[in-house]
Amino acid sequence: MNRREFLQAAMCATLAGTTGCYNRRPRRPVYFAAPPEPAPANVVIISLDTLRADRLGAYGYPRGLTPHLDKFAAEAVLFEQCIAPAPYTAPSHASLFTGVIPSDHGCFLRRGQKTVQMSEKINRAVRTAAEMMQQAGYRTASVNGGLQVSPVFGFDRGFADYDCDTERRFDEASRLALEKLTKDRFFFFLHSYEIHAPYRPPADDLARLGSYEGPLDPTRIDGEDLVNIHYQKIKLSGADQQHVINCYDAEVISADRGVGRFLDGLAARDLYDDSLIVVTSDHGEELGEHGKWALHSHTLYDELLHVPLLVKFPKGRFGGTRVPEQVRLIDVLPTIVAAIGLDAPDYATGVDLVTHFGDSRRDDLAAVSQLDTEHVLLSCLRTGEYKLYRASGTGKTKLAYLGPRGESRFFGTPAEQARLSGELTAMLDRELARNDFGASEKVVLDDHMQQKLKELGYVR
């Protein structure tokens, strides 16, 4: 069945309910007849760096931080379990733009304890979304935070206008983005590090969440404190922990306001209805799970890999649909190019998400996530129920069960563990063997970028 035949078949209707849990048993959708497919006039990707899925009201968070995102979610398809390919910015965004896992595109930061010693660009053998959209006749532009998505790593490939500023808050980024829009067809990437550590939220947003008296700065959590908290040089009381959460949540409030400004601006310019708009994040954040606080990029646990994914199709098509099955960030590129009538590259691991929630929907898509350090590549394969961890060069694996309360050790019998480990290892091997693009171009980072990475907590 080709795409158009499929889209004229039955599609799933809205699934009621929300969840604040990382894992959830899929429910059977109800199907409806799909209307004719409108082609998107414009395509927009909004990446809210470091936003956990469970901070949106649409995903079940009760604090009411995200009224603008929740309103958007009601008009979009909400994917309840979207898994990021990496727990930090560069490789995750590179996968978002290429449809392949990090070991394929090669864009990693290889870190020592005190410096990022070397890195790689996005492999030239892999085409980016911007390159494909530009070739299809779209005007390509971006307002973003730079640094890990800077041109030095190849993220500007295919963009006619690539405006980077690490310090820019999302509200300011939204204002500048609206100024760059034209009536020509466009592909736009909007991104900010606002939610990312260090947490320096607007005072009014933080005050809304409660007061704090304690040893930490009552107005913010800066980089040095975050590193000391993460490595347990600062012990947190219950009040201290809540203050860290409040500072993070206040950043979410501010970023949500910026999203509202941008979406309202699209509507005022008569650009909203006909656009395909993706809102997502590259990774989450540690907020007490597994005993870790206020950083990321060190593990492959779900608090760092479970990200929001909201996709609004032109004319509100499929709006309000909720998809409980697992999907991946690498599925975004195939979804975008399919919507404008193009085929994804043959090497793309991701799939068109429209095929994931219709009559021909797939089972849960296995998600591969990776973390590269100075010496070891750690990979995990995640299904709807289990995770398998494996470190390169060691042959050692670890199994985990994904239950209603989150991730826990798998306590099956030795025979059950051997069988499941063998099945998941074979699946992981197949995913890792899909592509071989050779080595990526090496990048040596200058002192300025090293200092900025230190401020963001990536090195001590």
Side-chain angles (χ1 to χ4, degrees):
M1 178 183 291
N2 62 33
R3 175 177 169 79
R4 186 158 300 278
E5 290 171 335
F6 165 73
L7 287 170
Q8 290 171 348
M11 301 295 291
C12 77
T14 302
L15 292 173
T18 61
T19 179
C21 299
Y22 285 122
N23 305 290
R24 183 178 182 172
R25 301 289 183 185
R27 293 171 296 173
R28 284 293 182 189
V30 179
Y31 300 110
F32 62 88
E37 177 187 10
N42 309 295
V43 177
V44 177
I45 296 178
I46 301 174
S47 174
L48 298 163
D49 206 292
T50 322
L51 177 62
R52 294 166 55 121
D54 66 0
R55 257 38 193 182
L56 278 67
Y59 283 81
Y61 200 49
R63 295 189 90 177
L65 309 180
T66 55
H68 301 98
L69 284 167
D70 296 341
K71 177 183 176 184
F72 177 77
E75 302 170 356
V77 179
L78 185 152
F79 295 89
E80 294 181 0
Q81 290 196 70
C82 179
I83 304 302
Y88 64 103
T89 302
S92 194
H93 276 100
S95 290
L96 172 70
F97 283 138
T98 62
V100 297
I101 60 177
S103 57
D104 287 344
H105 61 63
C107 185
F108 286 108
L109 297 181
R110 301 187 188 278
R111 294 171 292 170
Q113 291 228 338
K114 297 183 185 267
T115 62
V116 176
Q117 296 177 335
M118 190 174 288
S119 185
E120 286 82 26
K121 289 188 176 183
I122 299 172
N123 197 303
R124 280 285 180 183
V126 183
R127 298 175 67 201
T128 69
E131 289 174 314
M132 286 181 256
M133 298 298 290
Q134 189 176 58
Q135 187 174 9
Y138 285 72
R139 179 176 175 271
T140 54
S142 173
V143 172
N144 64 80
L147 199 58
Q148 285 200 51
V149 292
S150 74
V152 72
F153 300 120
F155 282 96
D156 62 333
R157 282 169 38 191
F159 283 100
D161 181 357
Y162 202 74
D163 185 340
C164 304
D165 185 343
T166 305
E167 303 299 327
R168 199 158 40 202
R169 299 193 74 85
F170 207 84
D171 195 55
E172 174 65 9
S174 297
R175 182 188 66 79
L176 291 174
L178 291 170
E179 292 177 357
K180 293 178 179 289
L181 300 182
T182 68
K183 289 296 184 181
D184 298 327
R185 292 192 308 169
F186 58 79
F187 170 71
F188 205 97
F189 170 49
L190 177 59
H191 163 270
S192 167
Y193 286 107
E194 177 166 3
I195 302 173
H196 195 293
Y199 309 145
R200 300 168 181 170
D204 290 347
D205 294 329
L206 183 58
R208 167 184 157 184
L209 299 176
S211 60
Y212 167 73
E213 294 182 3
L216 302 175
D217 188 323
T219 66
R220 61 178 61 192
I221 306 290
D222 275 329
E224 185 176 353
D225 279 345
L226 285 167
V227 171
N228 288 332
I229 290 168
H230 181 80
Y231 291 104
Q232 300 183 351
K233 293 181 179 180
I234 294 178
K235 302 296 184 181
L236 298 180
S237 68
D240 298 337
Q241 292 176 0
Q242 188 60 53
H243 179 54
V244 174
I245 290 172
N246 286 349
C247 286
Y248 176 86
D249 283 1
E251 294 277 30
V252 175
I253 292 173
S254 178
D256 176 76
R257 191 162 52 244
V259 172
R261 176 178 190 161
F262 181 73
L263 297 179
D264 288 346
L266 287 179
R269 291 162 174 77
D270 199 25
L271 298 172
Y272 180 82
D273 286 346
D274 292 334
S275 295
L276 172 65
I277 303 173
V278 177
V279 178
T280 190
S281 180
D282 54 342
H283 57 77
E285 187 72 302
E286 297 167 336
L287 293 176
E289 300 85 3
H290 299 92
K292 298 295 185 180
W293 282 89
L295 283 179
H296 49 268
S297 82
H298 306 281
T299 75
L300 293 173
Y301 292 127
D302 274 9
E303 57 265 25
L304 302 185
L305 300 180
H306 183 208
V307 295
L309 179 60
L310 309 171
V311 183
K312 186 199 78 70
F313 290 88
K315 305 297 185 185
R317 199 159 185 265
F318 318 128
T321 300
R322 300 182 67 94
V323 179
E325 292 92 351
Q326 176 174 286
V327 299
R328 301 83 52 91
L329 273 189
I330 59 171
D331 300 322
V332 170
L333 177 135
T335 303
I336 289 172
V337 297
I340 66 171
L342 300 178
D343 293 325
D346 291 340
Y347 57 75
T349 309
V351 301
D352 178 6
L353 287 170
V354 172
T355 67
H356 192 65
F357 59 89
D359 189 41
S360 300
R361 74 190 184 285
R362 304 163 185 263
D363 294 330
D364 289 338
L365 297 167
V368 173
S369 304
Q370 296 177 301
L371 170 60
D372 199 16
T373 66
E374 190 175 7
H375 303 293
V376 176
L377 175 65
L378 180 65
S379 299
C380 79
L381 182 130
R382 189 188 194 279
T383 68
E385 289 188 282
Y386 303 104
K387 284 176 82 172
L388 174 85
Y389 294 89
R390 187 174 69 187
S392 63
T394 67
K396 295 181 179 179
T397 61
K398 183 178 77 171
L399 282 173
Y401 169 67
L402 304 173
R405 296 184 179 181
E407 181 172 341
S408 62
R409 183 179 173 186
F410 179 68
F411 286 104
T413 66
E416 290 171 334
Q417 291 194 43
R419 177 189 59 77
L420 182 59
S421 180
E423 291 176 357
L424 297 183
T425 296
M427 292 173 64
L428 178 59
D429 286 340
R430 285 195 297 271
E431 294 300 315
L432 297 181
R434 281 177 178 264
N435 296 307
D436 182 6
F437 298 115
S440 299
E441 182 181 347
K442 297 291 189 290
V443 178
V444 177
L445 305 182
D446 61 24
D447 291 343
H448 173 73
M449 186 165 283
Q450 294 278 7
Q451 180 58 35
K452 297 302 295 183
L453 289 169
K454 184 176 181 179
E455 292 173 8
L456 293 179
Y458 285 101
V459 291
R460 298 195 201 185

